[in-house]
């Protein structure tokens, strides 16, 4: 077989050579040890938590080494592409704090290694495919869908491994005359890789997360170019990762089955393989059992969930790091105020089994993150979220910024800041009792207390309440009201003999708290009343007395 003749016969319009592509995309000039990683999704309109898990790994590996993190769009499957799919990817990730040094942008490309959309790189792929044909490493296949179905059905009936190989690879050694005959008829063809693998052989491979693993050689003649000249994922990623200088490929462990073919491709193309990092799948507990997180069953699977719910970007990043590196939490305890970028991220500390995603733990992390923010920062983030998701509440916040910041300052700062807020969507409820238009009674005073006693306590407190009292005077008045109405003013005394009293000073404080805030739990009541002001406090106590 004259393979040079075959190459010209199949792709006469391709005049470029691999050497031309190597010149077009020179090696990157980067510091020693710098890593180049890529996030390479399909523009299907849906990004899941596994995507973010991988993208964050990519970003940390690149940026902790002085390298490059780029976005490549794998849009060779036109059927799965949705309108604005690329914009959805970029905007969704940006909202979660993931940005790129180069790659596809909404209206084009940024960087010297584009196009960064695979649909625009057909000439590049066909150049390398044509070279494979010249070297006898690829051949055309004219099988129809009916023929491929017949092959698959026979393999199923005989309980054989499905695929195009061995005796089933009917075009593998077809003579040039037969190929020419099909071309003259205008018959479509795909280009297949000529595998020299043997499934009886094992390959040793070092994965950067899983360590040394054994993989079985690939013996299937996989498609590298489809009938329209567009590559399959396997071929495109090998060519792109080489030309774009990718040093580390982070992908889900479900791709391990394709590794033998990828090893073959890089060797056949004469490329140095990037280092592969196969991440554990993201799991969740469901009735005590671990299962893969599902975009159909679990709303938290979609990345849009985190922004719509109002998770701070910093909290999502912080939580992801706890499941990415097993030593992060220990580091955070020792460095509570350090930026996350100071943490020495490494693939060696990543889980080799499933990574358990726990929303409750994310909420706890988020509370900690927000508790460390200033009132001004909380106000800014909450307002930005409200403008996008709750315009009425945004108007409330904007009407009096100083008042809102004063509310958010309660219990903030110090060694043990309050941790009331996990999501920006919770801020409205947290602050609502400070605004007459949002105030609603959420809790009732327990029925174990006499209504007459409650009213007597509130009436007496209303008479002596003074907005100018300092905190000691304020609490002294509450104790005086308690004692007058048969409630113990001293907690130690009450605990020693609870049966001697109607209740304690804590119960009296609770009556006032429910009257003023409408809830059993609130931030420091003295500060709350100072912010609400005398008129609101008196009006709300009066309302409960009515």
């Amino acid at each position: 077989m004259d393979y040079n003749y075959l190459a010209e016969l199949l792709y006469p319009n391709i005049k470029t050579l691999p050497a031309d592509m190597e010149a077009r995309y020179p090696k990157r000039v980067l510091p020693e040890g710098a890593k180049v990683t890529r996030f390479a999704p399909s523009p299907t309109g849906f990004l899941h938590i596994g995507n973010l898990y991988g993208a964050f790994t990519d970003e940390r590996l690149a940026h902790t080494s002085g390298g490059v993190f780029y976005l490549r769009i794998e849009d060779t499957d036109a059927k799965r592409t949705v309108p604005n799919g690329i914009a959805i990817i970029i905007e969704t990730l940006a909202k979660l704090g993931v940005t790129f040094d180069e790659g596809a942008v909404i209206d084009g490309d940024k960087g010297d290694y584009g196009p960064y959309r695979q649909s625009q790189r057909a000439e590049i792929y066909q150049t390398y495919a044509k070279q494979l044909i010249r070297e006898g490493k690829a051949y055309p296949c004219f099988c129809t869908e009916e023929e491929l179905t017949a092959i698959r059905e026979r393999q199923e009936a005989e309980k054989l491994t499905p695929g195009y190989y061995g005796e089933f690879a009917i075009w593998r050694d077809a003579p040039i005359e037969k190929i020419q005959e099909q071309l003259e008829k205008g018959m479509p063809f795909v280009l297949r890789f000529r595998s020299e693998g043997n499934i009886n052989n094992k390959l040793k491979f070092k994965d950067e997360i899983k360590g040394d693993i054994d993989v079985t050689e690939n013996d299937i003649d996989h498609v590298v170019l489809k009938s329209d000249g567009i590559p399959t994922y396997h071929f495109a990623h090998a060519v792109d990762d080489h030309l774009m200088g990718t040093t580390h490929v982070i992908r889900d462990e479900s791709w391990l089955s394709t590794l033998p073919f990828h090893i073959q491709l890089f060797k056949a193309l004469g490329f140095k393989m990037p280092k592969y990092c196969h991440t554990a799948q993201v799991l969740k507990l469901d009735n005590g059992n671990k299962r893969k997180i599902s975009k159909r069953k679990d709303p938290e699977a979609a990345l849009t969930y985190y922004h719509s719910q109002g998770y701070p970007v910093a909290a999502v990043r912080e939580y992801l790091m706890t499941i990415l590196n097993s030593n992060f939490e220990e580091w955070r305890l020792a460095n509570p105020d350090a930026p996350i970028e100071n943490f020495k991220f490494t693939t060696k500390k990543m889980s080799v089994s499933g990574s358990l995603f726990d929303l409750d733990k994310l909420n706890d992390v988020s509370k900690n993150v927000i508790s460390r923010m200033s009132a001004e920062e909380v106000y800014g983030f909450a307002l930005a979220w409200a403008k996008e998701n709750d315009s009425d509440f945004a108007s409330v916040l904007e009407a009096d910024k100083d008042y809102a910041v004063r509310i958010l300052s309660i219990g903030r700062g110090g060694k043990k800041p309050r941790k009331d807020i996990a999501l920006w969507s919770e801020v409205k409820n947290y602050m609502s009792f400070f605004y007459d238009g949002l105030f609603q009674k959420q809790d009732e005073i327990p029925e174990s207390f006499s209504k007459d006693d409650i009213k007597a306590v509130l009436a007496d407190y209303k008479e002596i309440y003074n907005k100018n009292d300092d905190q000691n005077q304020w609490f002294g008045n509450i104790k005086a009201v308690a004692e007058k109405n048969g409630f113990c003013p001293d907690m130690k005394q009450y605990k020693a003999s609870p049966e001697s009293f109607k209740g304690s000073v804590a119960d009296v404080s609770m009556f006032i708290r429910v009257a003023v805030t409408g809830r059993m739990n609130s931030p420091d009541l003295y500060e709350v009343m100072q912010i609400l002001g005398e008129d609101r406090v008196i009006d709300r106590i009066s309302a409960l007395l009515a």
Side-chain angles (χ1 to χ4, degrees):
M1 173 77 74
D2 185 339
Y3 292 122
N4 285 314
Y5 177 71
L6 178 61
E8 291 302 323
L9 194 62
L10 296 176
Y11 297 102
N13 296 328
I14 297 299
K15 305 300 182 184
T16 50
L17 296 170
D20 299 318
M21 298 304 166
E22 302 294 331
R24 188 185 301 179
Y25 299 101
K27 291 186 180 299
R28 294 177 182 272
V29 179
L30 293 169
E32 185 177 352
K35 298 177 178 64
V36 179
T37 62
R38 43 76 166 175
F39 181 57
S42 299
T44 60
F46 182 86
L47 286 176
H48 55 80
I49 191 64
N51 293 134
L52 184 61
Y53 183 88
F56 195 37
T57 305
D58 285 313
E59 186 268 334
R60 286 290 80 208
L61 279 180
H63 291 160
T64 56
S65 64
V68 175
F69 175 42
Y70 71 91
L71 175 64
R72 186 172 76 219
I73 301 297
E74 299 192 342
D75 58 349
T76 57
D77 188 347
K79 293 178 182 178
R80 297 180 65 211
T81 299
V82 300
N84 300 317
I86 296 172
I88 291 170
I89 290 168
I90 294 170
E91 291 169 357
T92 300
L93 288 173
K95 287 175 180 177
L96 290 167
V98 178
T99 56
F100 301 91
D101 302 310
E102 65 180 51
V105 295
I106 291 174
D107 56 356
D109 285 335
K110 171 190 173 185
D112 298 328
Y113 291 82
Y116 293 94
R117 293 162 172 80
Q118 289 185 336
S119 60
Q120 298 175 9
R121 296 170 64 85
E123 180 194 31
I124 299 170
Y125 305 128
Q126 291 172 18
T127 296
Y128 283 96
K130 190 171 182 178
Q131 184 63 27
L132 288 179
I133 300 167
R134 290 190 191 99
E135 296 173 0
K137 298 174 181 176
Y139 64 91
C141 170
F142 294 88
C143 279
T144 64
E145 284 297 324
E146 292 75 17
E147 289 173 314
L148 293 174
T149 298
I151 289 171
R152 185 170 61 253
E153 288 175 348
R154 179 187 160 193
Q155 289 169 337
E156 290 173 354
E158 297 179 15
K159 297 183 178 179
L160 298 172
T161 302
Y164 197 87
Y165 62 93
E167 65 177 293
F168 303 106
I170 54 181
W171 282 93
R172 180 182 172 104
D173 297 311
I176 191 71
E177 294 80 13
K178 188 175 180 182
I179 293 172
Q180 282 182 300
E181 181 183 330
Q182 294 297 306
L183 291 173
E184 288 167 2
K185 292 180 182 178
M187 298 300 290
F189 66 91
V190 298
L191 192 70
R192 290 186 179 273
F193 179 77
R194 185 186 296 271
S195 174
E196 302 298 336
N198 187 324
I199 59 171
N200 294 316
N201 296 336
K202 295 283 187 180
L203 297 170
K204 292 285 186 184
F205 186 83
K206 182 179 180 181
D207 185 87
E208 293 300 297
I209 294 174
K210 297 184 176 296
D212 294 329
I213 56 176
D214 290 330
V215 295
T216 303
E217 281 187 353
N218 169 65
D219 68 338
I220 294 175
D221 290 0
H222 288 291
V223 174
V224 290
L225 289 185
K226 292 176 278 189
S227 58
D228 57 2
I230 298 298
T232 58
Y233 159 78
H234 310 285
F235 189 60
H237 107 273
V239 172
D240 290 343
D241 283 338
H242 169 69
L243 292 179
M244 295 179 180
T246 308
T247 63
H248 290 68
V249 172
I250 293 87
R251 60 185 189 179
D252 186 274
E253 64 187 0
S254 60
W255 287 101
L256 273 170
S257 61
T258 67
L259 186 59
F261 179 40
H262 296 164
I263 293 172
Q264 281 184 323
L265 273 177
F266 276 91
K267 183 177 180 181
L269 289 162
F271 300 159
K272 178 183 177 181
M273 279 193 77
K275 293 182 178 180
Y276 280 84
C277 313
H278 287 91
T279 60
Q281 293 187 331
V282 181
L283 308 175
K284 73 171 290 183
L285 278 178
D286 189 352
N287 294 322
N289 298 313
K290 293 179 181 179
R291 65 166 173 80
K292 186 177 178 181
I293 200 164
S294 165
K295 68 179 182 181
R296 293 181 180 85
K297 297 179 181 179
D298 309 308
E300 68 269 28
L303 290 195
T304 50
Y305 172 85
Y306 300 93
H307 182 68
S308 65
Q309 291 296 303
Y311 280 98
V313 170
V316 176
R317 289 169 65 84
E318 187 99 356
Y319 176 65
L320 276 178
M321 193 60 81
T322 69
I323 60 176
L324 282 170
N325 267 194
S326 57
N327 61 326
F328 176 74
E329 289 184 84
E330 181 182 346
W331 177 85
R332 174 53 78 202
L333 286 172
N335 303 274
D337 300 316
I340 196 172
E341 288 76 17
N342 289 6
F343 175 69
K344 303 297 183 184
F345 176 78
T346 172
T347 56
K348 292 180 173 59
K349 291 291 185 178
M350 294 183 73
S351 172
V352 296
S353 56
S355 296
L356 189 62
F357 191 86
D358 183 349
L359 265 182
D360 290 336
K361 187 170 182 180
L362 170 58
N363 290 338
D364 287 340
V365 169
S366 191
K367 286 180 181 179
N368 287 329
V369 168
I370 293 176
S371 74
R372 294 196 295 265
M373 294 180 181
S374 69
E376 285 273 356
E377 288 176 309
V378 174
Y379 174 84
F381 285 124
L383 177 59
W385 183 88
K387 282 182 175 179
E388 193 172 333
N389 298 277
D390 188 343
S391 58
D392 289 341
F393 183 52
S395 297
V396 170
L397 290 175
E398 286 185 302
D400 191 339
K401 177 183 176 182
D402 291 341
Y403 182 69
V405 170
R406 192 178 173 198
I407 295 167
L408 294 168
S409 297
I410 301 175
R412 195 160 293 280
K415 292 184 178 180
K416 292 186 178 181
R418 290 187 64 88
K419 298 176 182 178
D420 300 280
I421 304 168
L423 310 169
W424 303 131
S425 55
E426 295 177 351
V427 173
K428 181 178 183 178
N429 180 61
Y430 173 73
M431 300 177 70
S432 62
F433 65 83
F434 286 96
Y435 298 93
D436 293 335
L438 299 176
F439 176 67
Q440 289 182 334
K441 194 173 180 183
Q442 295 183 2
D443 297 320
E444 298 288 343
I445 297 172
E447 293 182 358
S448 57
F449 294 101
S450 160
K451 289 183 179 180
D452 290 339
D453 286 337
I454 295 168
K455 287 192 173 185
V457 164
L458 293 176
D460 287 342
Y461 183 72
K462 177 182 172 184
E463 292 300 318
I464 64 172
Y465 168 67
N466 186 338
K467 68 173 184 178
N468 297 317
D469 287 342
D470 63 23
Q471 193 154 10
N472 288 331
Q473 292 169 321
W474 170 82
F475 190 57
N477 287 337
I478 293 177
K479 290 171 74 173
V481 169
E483 187 169 19
K484 178 182 176 182
N485 288 277
F487 290 79
C488 184
D490 182 87
M491 289 305 298
K492 285 185 179 179
Q493 184 183 357
Y494 177 71
K495 289 178 181 178
S497 181
E499 68 282 356
S500 303
F501 305 93
K502 294 178 180 179
S504 71
V505 67
D507 297 318
V508 171
S509 295
M510 180 264 290
F511 299 164
I512 301 169
R513 187 185 303 276
V514 172
V516 172
T517 70
R519 55 189 75 179
M520 297 279 283
N521 296 300
S522 75
D524 183 85
L525 186 56
Y526 174 76
E527 291 191 54
V528 166
M529 293 169 73
Q530 289 294 107
I531 294 172
L532 282 170
E534 183 176 15
D535 289 344
R536 278 201 185 101
V537 169
I538 295 300
D539 286 347
R540 290 184 184 180
I541 291 175
S542 298
L544 201 60
L545 286 170

